[in-house]
Every structure is written in C-alpha cells, then in structure tokens.
Amino acid sequence: MTGLRAGGPLAGGLLLLAALAGLATAAAAVSPLGWLDPVRVDIDRVLAPPSPAHWFGTDGLGRDVLARTLHGGSASLGAAAIATALALALGAALGSLAGVSGRVGDTLMSRTADAFHAFPPLVAALALLGAAAGPLGSLPAAPRVGLVVGLFYWPGLFRFVRAETRRLAVSPLTDSARAAGARRARVAFRHLLPQALVPLLAPAPFVAGGTVLAEAGLGFLGVGIRPPAPSWGNLLADGLYFVESAWWLSLFPGGFLFLAVLGCFLAGEGLRARIAPPTET
C-alpha cells in the first residue's frame, strides 16, 4: 500500500516534467522549419487574443505566445537542470568529505556552507549576475544563469549528506577500509558517498523546483535570460503591463511555470515516501 501511495505522485510528477520537456524539445526541433518561431514579428497581429491561428495569442510585437512559451520552457528547464546538477554535485562531494574529516576540516566546510546559506539564493544570484564578467559573462545565458543559481542551492544538500555520511562512518565497512590504510577522501567517495546518494534523491526534486522558480525570478527582474530569447520569467515580465488588456501574456507562461514546479514537488513527495515510507497506523 505504501508503494502504491508513493507511486501516484512520483509517476505523475515525472510524467508532467517529461511532457513539458518533450514539448520544449519538439518546439526547438520544428522551429527551423518555420513552425513555432519564437522571434517572428507580425505587426498586423499585435496583442491578438487566443484563436485557431495563435492558440495562446500574440504579444506586443505580434510574436506567437505559444512558440515563445514552449521555447521559454527549453531555456528555463535547461538552466534549472544545470543549477540542480551543480547543487547536487557540490553538496554530495563537500558533504561526504566533511563527514569523514577531522574537526578543522569539518568546521571549515560547515562554516562555508553557512556563509552561502546566509544569503537568500535569489538576491545573491541577482547580485552575481549583475556583476558577471570574465569567463562567466561570456557563457550563453541559460548555462550562466544555471551555474550562478546552483552555487547557492548546495548548502542544504551539503548538510543532508554530511549528516548521512557521519552516520555511516561508524559502520564496520568503514572501519575495515580505514584499517586497510584507505585515506579519508577514498573512504568518503568510494564507501560512504554511494550509500548516501540514495537518500539524497529525495530532496533533489525539491531543489529542482526551487531552481526553476529562481530562474523565473531572475528573468522577471531582467538579469536572467534576456529578450528576445524567451524564458518563462521574462515572458511574465512582458505581460506585467498588459494583465487586464492582454491576460494571455501572463496566463500561459505562468501556467507552464506552475506545472513545472508542481511536477518537481510531486516527484519529490513520491521519492520521499518511497525512500522513507510513513509508519502504518
């Protein structure tokens, strides 16, 4: 019964995310053929409401909102995937090392995580992107936003892996590895990290949902993926001044953003229930 309860949200969340990613990929594949072009301007159909010709209507330049919403999903989901991967990699690597380090190493890494955690991720990413220069500034928009956002989402995962690693560090397997002369880094990455990765899957979708929202917030504020390239965040910003007269400019990108975050949280709830099933009463 527990597996059935967990399977519903997990399957639903993964299916929803797969559908959004599939639509974005399909839109990118057909745009070179002249379909779903996100930047084609039609001044004769400015702010046209939804119709059979333009299912999601058009924006202030006559661009198709459906095309821009689907292409925006590709940029937003891509940036969020990069951010989530970076946060997971940093949290897992540093957390496992801190779990087997001595007091000095553990304290140093823990205080570093606390320093990153002290800054609100959106505010910190906003400041860093605003001052982006050098190699970071030369990256394409989506990877740049993804890397910056990911830098501020790893501390929570670090604490989770650190605690799990310290729990596993007292196991007979770890004692045997140390007795055989294995160094702390080898013990952490070869013996402890693989065992800590399975529980780490549970918070991963929640981090993904947070990075999707963070990317949208940065785009809305004008420092993320910038026009004319679409993202859900800058599409919402475009519709800000037309909420009453052209409601479709905000409704459809906002709806897709809501579905993406919902998919992440459903997947996270399903994984959490599978990995740590509730006690039957």
Side-chain angles (χ1 to χ4, degrees):
M1 293 298 293
T2 298
L4 291 175
R5 289 197 300 269
L10 177 58
L14 293 178
L15 183 61
L16 189 53
L17 291 173
L20 293 174
L23 287 172
T25 303
V30 302
S31 61
L33 304 176
W35 302 331
L36 295 175
D37 187 345
V39 296
R40 185 168 65 86
V41 174
D42 185 355
I43 59 174
D44 294 327
R45 296 192 62 84
V46 171
L47 294 179
S51 66
H54 298 281
W55 291 1
F56 288 5
T58 64
D59 66 4
L61 295 175
R63 297 173 296 190
D64 187 76
V65 176
L66 172 61
R68 292 182 64 75
T69 298
L70 295 181
H71 281 268
S74 178
S76 296
L77 293 176
I82 293 172
T84 303
L86 178 60
L88 287 171
L90 288 175
L94 296 178
S96 59
L97 278 177
V100 298
S101 295
R103 173 172 294 184
V104 174
D106 182 25
T107 300
L108 179 62
M109 284 183 274
S110 296
R111 296 297 80 78
T112 301
D114 291 341
F116 274 85
H117 190 70
F119 293 97
L122 185 60
V123 175
L126 178 65
L128 189 55
L129 282 171
L136 183 63
S138 65
L139 288 175
R144 181 173 69 249
V145 173
L147 289 174
V148 170
V149 171
L151 282 175
F152 296 96
Y153 272 85
W154 64 269
L157 297 171
F158 163 85
R159 292 174 177 175
F160 184 89
V161 175
R162 174 183 173 273
E164 186 70 10
T165 302
R166 292 179 72 85
R167 184 184 69 82
L168 295 170
V170 297
S171 67
L173 177 63
T174 305
D175 294 338
S176 300
R178 286 175 174 169
R183 295 185 176 182
R184 287 176 176 172
R186 182 180 177 86
V187 172
F189 290 121
R190 183 167 182 176
H191 299 285
L192 300 182
L193 182 57
Q195 299 181 64
L197 283 180
V198 174
L200 185 62
L201 292 175
F206 296 105
V207 173
T211 59
V212 170
L213 285 175
E215 186 283 325
L218 292 170
F220 185 83
L221 295 172
V223 295
I225 300 170
R226 301 182 181 181
S231 75
W232 289 334
N234 65 40
L235 290 178
L236 288 172
D238 289 343
L240 178 63
Y241 300 104
F242 301 97
V243 172
E244 295 183 1
S245 60
W247 49 266
W248 54 89
L249 295 181
S250 300
L251 176 65
F252 294 113
F256 272 64
L257 174 62
F258 168 77
L259 291 176
V261 176
L262 177 63
C264 291
F265 277 76
L266 285 175
E269 286 293 337
L271 278 173
R272 185 167 63 179
R274 281 180 176 269
I275 294 172
T279 302
E280 296 289 349
T281 57

